[in-house]
Structure formats: C-alpha cells, structure tokens
Amino acid sequence: MDRQALEHSLARRLLDHIDAGTTDLAPDILELPTDIYSTQRHAEEFDVLFRGHPLVLCLSGALPHAGTYRAVDLCGVPILLTRNDEGRVRAFANACRHRGVRVVDGGGARSRFACPFHSWTYDLDGRLVAVPVQDAFTGMCLERKGLVELPVAEGYGLIVGSLQPGPTVDIDEYLGPGLADELAVLEFADWELYGEPHVHPVGANWKVTLDTFRENYHFRFLHRRTLAKYAYGGVLTFDPFGRHLRNCSALRTIDELREVPDEQWGDVMGHISLQYALFPNTSLTFDSRHVELWQIVPVDANSSEVVHSTYLRPGLSESERAKAVEMAPWICETVVDGEDFWVAARTEPGIRAGVLDTIVFGRNEPAPQHLHRGFDDALAAARRA
C-alpha cells in the first residue's frame, strides 16, 4: 500500500464512523487493579520495559548529515548520538571515561568532543583521540578508554537504541514487518528537527501520562474549548502492529470530502491526524506539515516526564512553516500542559489513596487496552526468563 492509499483508507473509515456515530471498539472492557501504579510495579517496569527493551531515541532528522551529533537523555541515562563520516549512526554513554563528566550538550555539527573538565577528547566513533598530560596515565591502555558504546539501529526514519550495553538492536525485529513497511511509505527520514527538544514534567505515573495520548473519548469534555473545535472526539481508528499500534483521528475539515468522490480526494493529510504508539513509551503524531515525537519517561511511581520534539517536512512554504511553528506553543501550553497533563496529575490522589481497587478502559478505548496488555505480557515474559 502506498502513502495515499493508506491515508485514503483511514479517511474513509473515519467518515463512515462519523456518519454512523461509531468508532473502532475493543472486544471487551478491560479492568485493571490500581496496583499497576505501585512502587513495586514501577521498579519492575523500569528494569524490564526501559532498561531491558529498545526505545526510540530520536528521529533520523536529528542527525541530518555526516558529522552531526545529538545529546539525548532518557531515564537518567545521558546518551551521545553521532553520525560518523560514513553516515552511520553510533550511540555512546555521554560520560567521559576519565571521571564520568558529561561530555557534550545539545546538537549540531563537529568532529571532536572535548570533555569540559580535563579535555579528554573523542571523535565521532567514540575513540579517545587526545589526553592532556598523557604521561600521567602511563600504564593505562588509553585505546580501551573510548566512550562506552550502546546498541543502536536506524531505519524508516527512526533511531532506536538501548540504554545500556548489550545485544545489537534489530530495527526490523523491533517494528515487525507490517509496521516497518508502513513507516517506510511515510518517508519522514529527512524531516528536519525544529528547535531543541523540551521536557514537560507531569505529576503522574508514566502510564497515566501515556494513556492521555491514546484515546480521544475525552475530546468532547476535557478539550471542549480547545481541540474539540478542530477535531472530532469519540471517533478513532485502531490497528495493532504487534505491541505497537496506529490510531487515526479526524479533523473537522474532513467534512469537505463528503461531496467529493473518493477517487478524487488527492492529499487528505490536511483532514486527518495519524498517530503511532511505539512500544513501550513513544508517540508519533503526523499531519501534512510536521511530525511530533513524544517520549514518555518514568521518573518515579507517581511522576513522569515527556520529552517533546518537532520535525518539519522539507519544502514547506513560508506560510505552512509559520502555521506549524505558530501552533506549537498553543498545543504545548494550553492543550497538553493545561488540559492533558493537568488531568493526569489529578489521577494520582485517587489511585494512591487506597479507595479505588481498579481502573477501567471501555470498549471505545482499544489503544490503551492494547498497550497495557503488552506491558503485562512483557513483564510476564521477563519473569519466566
């Protein structure tokens, strides 16, 4: 399936749902014990899902050409990503082998990284290439003191890696054939990182935070003065890809397609919002101008952070680029912080006070159901190993 066929099929499903007053449904209600938010469960999830599972580190556009780098911080692990002279992405612990100091911040283009403490210097392949007063370290094999390498793989516009040394990451295995093929047709590998990633602190367990991205049942209520004016609430497609999934929601402009034969639709990305959840913690949201990367990261059992990055499609007109940039503060401050993450934090007292024994996901919330089942399956597999 090519990109236009994919988008047309999703737009047709959404229009049919809107006309029928329906949405994609799960087979059953899912009721889970509130101890999925406990301190004990948090420690197990952190070890299995985050330390022991590949994570999306960034999109390919964060390293746009050979000789570029990007510092990434996830789950307390400082990571240095580089694209070497051959164009290969490498990942390293962003910690000097001398005294452990963070080597570099931000991103850009350079061929050497000098630690700010004592100027131990590394190249794009993590090799230690300069040590001031080298005689003071006689007897130490400095060739073995390059940056600690971490597993990483690139493909389909994604850079995926592990937070600790270990087995090689296989991105095709991580995504699975169906999702890898689909992301390939979206062709976003050259979309450009706009500005610096920024962090949203959230006073809620990471799964509570994640669930705010995975259903729009709440649009007509929580977002009635904001997003509900621009998008239909309570109407969502759901398609699983292994432990990952795809949702698609309808912007209100989709009504413009009603009187047009399907075969004459052309580009419909201005009328739909395409969303992917990549296991365990990543959300990608596409529209015609940009893709938003949201990485939900646990801090402790009752708080989390969301690392948010925006990538713009190359070749945007000045007006298209201005519109994407103009919308960003409103989305972050008014909608996400002011509504989604505000209500997420209001969940914490209820699930910690011992007065609720369960939480419920309805049949109209198939995506969070799918993710929570995936978390349980991954933890169960780790216990058996």
Side-chain angles (χ1 to χ4, degrees):
M1 181 181 292
D2 63 21
R3 178 170 183 157
Q4 185 173 85
L6 170 66
E7 294 162 1
H8 281 205
S9 69
L10 292 169
R12 171 46 57 197
R13 285 169 64 184
L14 288 166
L15 278 172
D16 290 346
H17 275 317
I18 292 167
D19 291 343
T22 57
T23 188
D24 282 2
L25 297 171
D28 299 295
I29 293 167
L30 177 65
E31 192 164 3
L32 296 173
T34 50
D35 67 9
I36 66 169
Y37 304 115
S38 69
T39 300
Q40 179 180 354
R41 172 69 176 242
H42 168 80
E44 186 178 18
E45 288 173 347
F46 192 84
D47 185 53
V48 173
L49 302 180
F50 290 87
R51 294 283 186 160
H53 194 280
L55 304 176
V56 174
L57 303 180
C58 62
L59 304 189
S60 293
L63 300 168
H65 54 78
T68 54
Y69 73 95
R70 169 64 49 184
V72 172
D73 290 85
L74 292 175
C75 301
V77 179
I79 301 167
L80 172 60
L81 296 170
T82 69
R83 191 180 296 281
N84 68 13
D85 293 337
E86 289 74 46
R88 177 188 169 195
V89 173
R90 308 289 298 272
F92 309 97
N94 190 2
C96 180
R97 293 298 299 277
H98 177 211
R99 302 270 285 278
V101 172
R102 184 185 182 91
V103 176
V104 67
D105 297 298
R110 65 168 71 174
S111 60
R112 296 288 187 270
F113 307 96
C115 175
F117 198 8
H118 299 95
S119 204
W120 282 35
T121 301
Y122 306 87
D123 67 11
L124 291 165
D125 288 302
R127 291 184 292 252
L128 180 62
V129 294
V131 174
V133 196
Q134 187 167 332
D135 289 349
F137 298 91
T138 299
M140 178 180 288
C141 182
L142 295 178
E143 289 77 12
R144 296 183 180 177
K145 290 298 179 182
L147 296 174
V148 174
E149 187 156 16
L150 302 174
V152 70
E154 180 180 25
Y156 315 103
L158 304 175
I159 295 175
V160 176
S162 300
L163 301 185
Q164 55 188 356
T168 300
V169 173
D170 184 325
I171 196 163
D172 290 293
E173 180 181 329
Y174 168 70
L175 292 173
L179 185 54
D181 294 343
E182 184 162 312
L183 293 181
V185 305
L186 295 179
E187 297 181 326
F188 60 95
D190 62 346
W191 292 28
E192 307 160 358
L193 178 64
Y194 174 77
E196 287 293 312
H198 58 278
V199 175
H200 296 256
V202 189
N205 181 275
W206 74 276
K207 298 186 298 298
V208 172
T209 304
L210 179 69
D211 288 337
T212 67
F213 288 90
R214 295 276 60 88
E215 46 87 3
N216 64 15
Y217 172 35
H218 67 280
F219 273 29
R220 291 173 292 172
F221 316 107
L222 181 63
H223 297 317
R224 63 187 180 278
R225 297 186 182 90
T226 54
L227 286 185
K229 296 178 180 180
Y230 304 96
Y232 279 97
V235 179
L236 197 66
T237 66
F238 164 72
D239 295 282
F241 294 87
R243 288 176 177 166
H244 314 294
L245 63 91
R246 183 224 301 132
N247 293 133
C248 190
S249 57
L251 306 184
R252 293 198 175 270
T253 59
I254 201 171
D255 294 334
E256 298 171 10
L257 301 178
R258 290 184 185 284
E259 306 305 319
V260 181
D262 291 21
E263 62 271 16
Q264 297 178 22
W265 278 357
D267 186 2
V268 300
M269 273 303 285
H271 305 299
I272 64 176
S273 176
L274 190 58
Q275 303 129 17
Y276 294 88
L278 303 182
F279 191 87
N281 70 319
T282 297
S283 178
L284 286 174
T285 302
F286 290 84
D287 67 17
S288 58
R289 296 182 298 263
H290 65 298
V291 56
E292 308 232 22
L293 170 65
W294 307 85
Q295 297 159 285
I296 297 89
V297 181
V299 175
D300 53 34
N302 56 6
S303 65
S304 52
E305 294 180 340
V306 179
V307 184
H308 178 207
S309 312
T310 300
Y311 294 74
L312 299 181
R313 176 169 59 82
L316 290 178
S317 67
E318 286 300 317
S319 61
E320 288 175 320
R321 189 179 183 90
K323 185 66 174 176
V325 172
E326 174 190 332
M327 290 288 287
W330 180 76
I331 290 291
C332 282
E333 297 166 15
T334 302
V335 179
V336 173
D337 285 337
E339 294 174 343
D340 287 313
F341 297 162
W342 170 80
V343 82
R346 292 171 68 86
T347 302
E348 280 299 318
I351 62 176
R352 305 249 168 242
V355 295
L356 296 180
D357 57 349
T358 66
I359 56 155
V360 179
F361 294 98
R363 293 184 62 219
N364 61 341
E365 301 171 292
Q369 286 199 26
H370 182 75
L371 288 175
H372 281 273
R373 288 191 172 98
F375 301 149
D376 285 345
D377 288 346
L379 296 180
R383 292 175 197 133
R384 291 193 299 269

